[in-house]
Amino acid sequence: MTKQPSDTARTPVSPHPDPPPQAGEGVGVRRVLASNPPPRAGEGGTRAVRRGRVGAGLTIGAMLAEIAAALAGAGCEEPRRRARWVVAAALRMSPAEVFARPERVLSGAEQARIAAIRDRLAAREPLGRVLGHREFWGLDFALSPDTLEPRPESETIIEAVLARLSDRCAPYRFLDLGTGTGCLLLALLSEYPNAAGVGIDLAPGAVATARLNAAALGLHGRAAFVAGDWGRALAGGFDAVVANPPYIATSAIAGLMPEVCDHDPRLALDGGEDGLAAYRAIAADLSRLLVPGGLFAGEIGMGHQAAVAAIVAAGGLAVETTLPDLAGIPRCLVARRPF
């Protein structure tokens, strides 16, 4: 859900990409392909055949090197890891299985399927959009044109709530403002089996997608998703409010990576002239929405730490801290309603 992924240094390409996949890296690949199968031979991969990129005896290792080189040349981040995902998606394997079998020879049809996905990524289409799904907090989330792709940086919000609401059996009530795919709310409900929550989004298409994700994860009985303008139409009583609002300044959107500015919905990116418009709207209702002592955890953009803290404090909350993501960037502002 982070609006612009952090830069990653490019590394030399090898036939056997390194580092090996992390635990859980392949969650959801088979489910994704079952509902969104890759092109059959001749549905996009034949162009690669005519260019001479498909050949007899080509192995997974050789194909990984070729894909990584193509993605690096197109300016894609983490080309070797992305190459592993391309092959995994096309072959209905986990990235770990791909890593473990570099010597496996690919058929012509398999090479064509891989080439079709590779070409879409080289054109700077995000892999999540190609597959139609993205993993978040170990769960699989369907995407739609009205939703951001959930991204690892946003897991900082989940970690913040888990560290502060320690009773996993409590019947907490959660509110997710700007829910998108529903990933924040549904990840929390997966950790708190007696909790329930509401997700709000201005886009009806996002609400529909979040409902589908709740049903697919078996959490629809505890999650309600509705279209609305932040929390203005809601009564209070929430133990925690989470949010990943739009925080990109309007003038900066055109300069974002193509994967973001060309594929993520503008409504979920545009934070107004200074990138803080959504936070002003959210902060105005937080004291009313939260129970005394209730928790707010919201994602912030780079350089927004002081400004968002001031906005939230002006709304009546006590700012507790700002937590960094795995890259060390201040990512999640944590505040509480005073007792």
Side-chain angles (χ1 to χ4, degrees), residues 43-295:
E43 294 179 348
T46 52
R47 192 173 301 169
V49 176
R50 289 196 295 269
R51 288 198 298 263
R53 294 187 182 180
V54 175
L58 189 65
T59 64
I60 284 179
M63 180 62 90
L64 286 170
E66 189 271 332
I67 297 168
L71 297 181
C76 297
E77 292 183 345
E78 298 185 297
R80 293 187 295 172
R81 189 175 295 275
R82 288 172 186 256
R84 196 158 54 229
W85 272 97
V86 168
V87 175
L91 301 185
R92 298 178 174 86
M93 298 168 65
S94 72
E97 290 171 320
V98 170
F99 183 83
R101 301 185 63 186
E103 76 290 344
R104 182 191 151 183
V105 176
L106 299 166
S107 70
E110 289 173 333
Q111 293 176 51
R113 291 201 301 269
I114 292 169
I117 298 175
R118 175 205 61 205
D119 290 348
R120 291 176 68 177
L121 262 65
R124 306 302 295 271
E125 183 176 355
L127 181 60
R129 300 291 178 188
V130 175
L131 300 179
H133 287 239
R134 178 84 184 242
E135 182 185 340
F136 181 84
W137 202 254
L139 306 172
D140 197 29
F141 290 90
L143 306 176
S144 74
D146 292 300
T147 66
L148 289 175
E149 283 194 62
R151 295 185 174 99
E153 293 88 339
S154 300
E155 294 185 349
T156 309
I157 297 172
I158 308 302
E159 293 167 352
V161 175
L162 291 174
R164 288 159 179 80
L165 300 183
S166 57
D167 186 355
R168 298 293 183 91
C169 296
Y172 294 124
R173 295 186 68 222
F174 297 125
L175 172 61
D176 180 7
L177 295 175
T179 194
T181 61
C183 65
L184 293 179
L185 176 59
L186 296 173
L188 287 173
L189 295 183
S190 75
E191 296 285 350
Y192 296 95
N194 296 316
V198 178
I200 303 291
D201 203 288
L202 193 61
V207 171
T209 302
R211 288 173 178 164
L212 290 174
N213 284 326
L217 295 170
L219 297 169
H220 54 288
R222 296 190 283 129
F225 295 97
V226 295
D229 188 6
W230 303 118
R232 291 172 183 168
L234 296 175
F238 293 99
D239 297 287
V241 174
V242 295
N244 180 16
Y247 52 67
I248 304 298
T250 304
S251 61
I253 292 176
L256 298 177
M257 297 171 60
E259 289 89 344
V260 178
C261 66
D262 294 342
H263 296 280
D264 279 336
R266 176 89 179 214
L267 186 64
L269 296 174
D270 195 339
E273 184 177 355
D274 60 358
L276 301 172
Y279 262 108
R280 295 188 183 96
I282 290 170
D285 292 318
L286 286 176
S287 288
R288 177 179 58 80
L289 293 170
L290 287 167
V291 299
L295 181 70

